[in-house]
Amino acid sequence: MPARRQVVLTAALCLSVVAGACGAPSADRADGDRAGSDSGQVSANAPIAPADTDDFGVPLPIDARHAQRVVSLNPAATEIIFAIGADSLLVGRSRWDEFPKGVERIMPVGDGIRPSIETVLSVRPTLVILYATGDNRSAAEALTRAGVRVVALRADRIAGFYALTRRLGTALGAEARARVVVDSVRGTLERVRALTAPLTTHPTVVWPVWESPPMVIGGGSYMDELLTIAGARNVFHDDSTSSPSVSIEEIVRRAPEFIVTSADRVSVLQQAPTWRVLPAVRDGHFLRIDNVLTGRPSVMLGMAAVHLARLMHPSLADSLTDSLR
Amino acid sequence: MTRRVWVWSAGIAALVVVMVLGVMVGAIPLSVHDVVAAIQGQGHPSTVAIVRDLRLPRVLLAGLVGVGLSMSGGALQGTLRNPLAEPYLLGVSGGAAVGAVLAMAMGISAPLLVTASAFAGAALATVLVAALARIVGGSGDTRLLLMSGVVVGAFANAAILVALAGAPPERLRGALWWMMGSAADASWGAVGRSAVAIGALGAVLLWRARELDVLALGTEPAAALGVDVDRAARRTFLVASWLAAATVAAAGLIGFIGLVVPNLARALGARQHRPMLLLSALYGAVLLIGADIAARTLRAPVELPLGALTALIGVPFFLLRLRKVVT
């Protein structure tokens, strides 16, 4: 994978998984992932905002009058907007948006976190969709003051993706298509779950998102849900945050059989003296995932679960292929 | 005489205790028996790996960084004849951090190159601080030197933030963590490199310790005794800066250890520079290994940044010491 693409992928991943860290550095980035929901953590059992407000608690526009010129600074939302057939409304996107194919024809207007308000306003939007993180509250206020309708959304878990899709459908006048997308993803996930549930062996895995300081996927992330659906056990499932910082020793103690990571990070992990302490790293027990599928809680969730299930349980390959028909 | 024996014995005993504790404490608590067995390669393979590849290098690296920072601080205090001097406050550590972060931002990850870059940054910061002080009113005034250090440190911080603003996010997190100081990435390679650099530069300072004693008498008496004051001060300043750079390259930015420990060594009766530097090395190792144990255990399983912990100890100490200096 070319370096540039890798950077953008990582950025998209960090937008969707690790709150913050894409904009200007700030003190709360360093440990914000363990702090309260404002700096980016929604715990596993946090209530999802009711469907009539956005994730900043602002009432959603209930008709699509505002949706003539839409800027989406939230990569997951951009992808959903294409999936629900509302992409003709888009006049701007964040520079990190990569999906789906065709997104490159939309004008990039800068960062998705702490965006440049002037650049966003220069494309004369009537509605801006932000990634709902504490770092974007001031941007939401500034845009609102400028007379632009703002919808701040985020999804950390699969249920959050459903809610996000439905709310985008409401805001952009595409409720029916939004329902179809939700039902299709949910159907695929249910079929994968039904295939893996009866299996007797569930491999134990750890899914690192950062080498130093070591950060892993915890129970608060959609990725943990994907692992469960795919018939694996995340050794950090009991941690309610989405990407806790943990010590290598703690990973050793929980003794995962496999490391879930993208192919390009394998060599990095194998060369890090601290990570080499893990038997799974030393013995090369890697499950190489495709970040394009797993990197964000969006319309690819169903495909991502199929992809992970194939890795965890190669014996299911045929039935998984059938389940997609 | 007996007091000196006491001070040294207590320091060595404390060093043994924190080193043993440092290997025992962690996500998997180990007994002394487990540790001894693991060092010999016996016991559960994962225990052996934790002891040999994680905790031992970590304890040794923290100890070496403590030695380097304390000796660097002691030498700087002697050169500037100011008990408040230390590499972090003088902007030297900040300069080293700029060098290292710039290397990281450019995608260089080879440890030797990052270290070399840190050394260059530290040397540049040293030259800058001295030049600033000279422009303002002569480098003889140590208060000006400290002020220049603070300014250069602030500039270094700003430079790092600018460098990081354009860097891809995956490097950002690592660099931020590194700026807060941590021994978590310790490996035998890092221990080896640090041992060579810190050992060699520390030895130079010990070898030149007599000059520091003479400098402490004041500029004129020292000149009268035939010491080339400017040259001696410059040389010590540079070696002490490089020593600080070696610690920054090993474990990131860790402040105030270089301030607290030499003052402690003097309070314990080490008057001349050679014994003071040696005692500082011992107590610096004890203090930093202890701080690293605290960083690992206070909020386990979350690790605290080591540099933040040392600042929590160091800032009140600095203020107390400042009051004493002023009065």
Side-chain angles (χ1 to χ4, degrees), chain A residues 33-118:
Chain A
D33 301 292
R34 292 184 304 274
S37 62
D38 210 39
S39 61
Q41 279 315 295
V42 174
S43 72
N45 43 19
I48 287 154
D52 57 345
T53 67
D54 75 357
D55 290 318
F56 282 170
V58 178
L60 280 179
I62 35 178
D63 57 43
R65 263 183 315 126
H66 298 280
Q68 293 130 7
R69 298 176 63 80
V70 180
V71 167
S72 168
L73 296 175
N74 177 333
T78 308
E79 195 172 13
I80 294 166
I81 291 169
F82 270 80
I84 62 178
D87 50 297
S88 59
L89 304 172
L90 282 173
V91 293
R93 60 172 172 96
S94 92
R95 67 191 177 107
W96 302 110
D97 286 42
E98 249 202 316
F99 305 103
K101 230 178 127 54
V103 78
E104 58 276 3
R105 63 178 172 75
I106 311 290
M107 161 103 100
V109 291
D111 278 326
I113 292 179
R114 298 188 179 276
S116 155
I117 305 296
E118 286 185 24

Side-chain angles (χ1 to χ4, degrees), chain A residues 34-296:
Chain A
R34 292 184 304 274
S37 62
D38 210 39
S39 61
Q41 279 315 295
V42 174
S43 72
N45 43 19
I48 287 154
D52 57 345
T53 67
D54 75 357
D55 290 318
F56 282 170
V58 178
L60 280 179
I62 35 178
D63 57 43
R65 263 183 315 126
H66 298 280
Q68 293 130 7
R69 298 176 63 80
V70 180
V71 167
S72 168
L73 296 175
N74 177 333
T78 308
E79 195 172 13
I80 294 166
I81 291 169
F82 270 80
I84 62 178
D87 50 297
S88 59
L89 304 172
L90 282 173
V91 293
R93 60 172 172 96
S94 92
R95 67 191 177 107
W96 302 110
D97 286 42
E98 249 202 316
F99 305 103
K101 230 178 127 54
V103 78
E104 58 276 3
R105 63 178 172 75
I106 311 290
M107 161 103 100
V109 291
D111 278 326
I113 292 179
R114 298 188 179 276
S116 155
I117 305 296
E118 286 185 24
T119 315
V120 174
L121 291 177
S122 71
V123 296
R124 293 176 290 106
T126 51
L127 175 74
V128 172
I129 293 150
L130 287 175
Y131 176 69
T133 170
D135 276 336
N136 272 343
R137 283 191 186 269
S138 60
E141 284 161 19
L143 288 165
T144 308
R145 274 199 306 273
V148 178
R149 202 56 202 257
V150 174
V151 178
L153 299 168
R154 70 180 297 157
D156 294 313
R157 300 176 61 76
I158 293 172
F161 158 75
Y162 297 151
L164 199 151
T165 307
R166 278 196 297 269
R167 287 181 290 168
L168 278 173
T170 307
L172 306 182
E175 288 94 337
R177 286 291 296 270
R179 249 197 310 278
V180 170
V181 169
V182 168
D183 290 345
S184 143
V185 170
R186 181 178 284 147
T188 309
L189 292 176
E190 289 309 327
R191 283 195 292 276
V192 174
R193 193 194 296 272
L195 285 169
T196 60
L199 297 173
T200 47
T201 56
H202 286 192
T204 56
V205 301
V206 67
W207 189 335
V209 285
W210 225 266
E211 287 90 27
S212 167
M215 289 172 73
V216 297
I217 291 297
S221 163
Y222 71 95
M223 289 157 143
D224 176 83
E225 294 179 279
L226 285 176
L227 287 172
T228 307
I229 291 168
R233 281 200 314 111
N234 177 11
V235 293
F236 284 96
H237 175 73
D238 59 332
D239 188 299
S240 64
T241 58
S242 65
S243 46
S245 282
V246 295
S247 68
I248 296 279
E249 286 190 18
E250 186 60 28
I251 306 175
V252 172
R253 197 173 72 82
R254 299 186 182 215
E257 297 164 80
F258 294 96
I259 314 280
V260 177
T261 186
S262 57
D264 57 303
R265 307 309 284 172
V266 168
S267 62
V268 178
L269 289 170
Q270 281 180 315
Q271 282 160 16
T274 46
W275 283 87
R276 284 194 58 79
V277 172
L278 282 170
V281 173
R282 274 204 311 277
D283 304 340
H285 288 177
F286 291 99
L287 296 171
R288 293 171 174 78
I289 46 146
D290 182 353
N291 263 341
V292 173
L293 293 175
T294 60
R296 55 210 187 283

Side-chain angles (χ1 to χ4, degrees), chain A residues 7 10-11 14 18 21-22 25 29-30 33-34 210 212-213 215 247-250 252-253 273-274 277 282, chain B residues 26-28 46 49-50 53-55 161 168-170 172-174 177 180 184-187 299 301-303:
Chain A
V7 167
T10 316
C14 101
V18 180
C22 284
R29 290 285 145 62
D33 301 292
R34 292 184 304 274
W210 225 266
S212 167
M215 289 172 73
S247 68
I248 296 279
E249 286 190 18
E250 186 60 28
V252 172
R253 197 173 72 82
T274 46
V277 172
R282 274 204 311 277
Chain B
I28 305 175
S46 74
I50 282 180
D53 301 333
L54 290 177
R55 290 190 195 167
L161 292 178
E170 72 261 30
L172 191 74
R173 192 164 277 279
W177 177 246
M180 297 189 291
D185 269 347
S187 64
R299 275 190 59 194
V302 171
E303 286 221 8

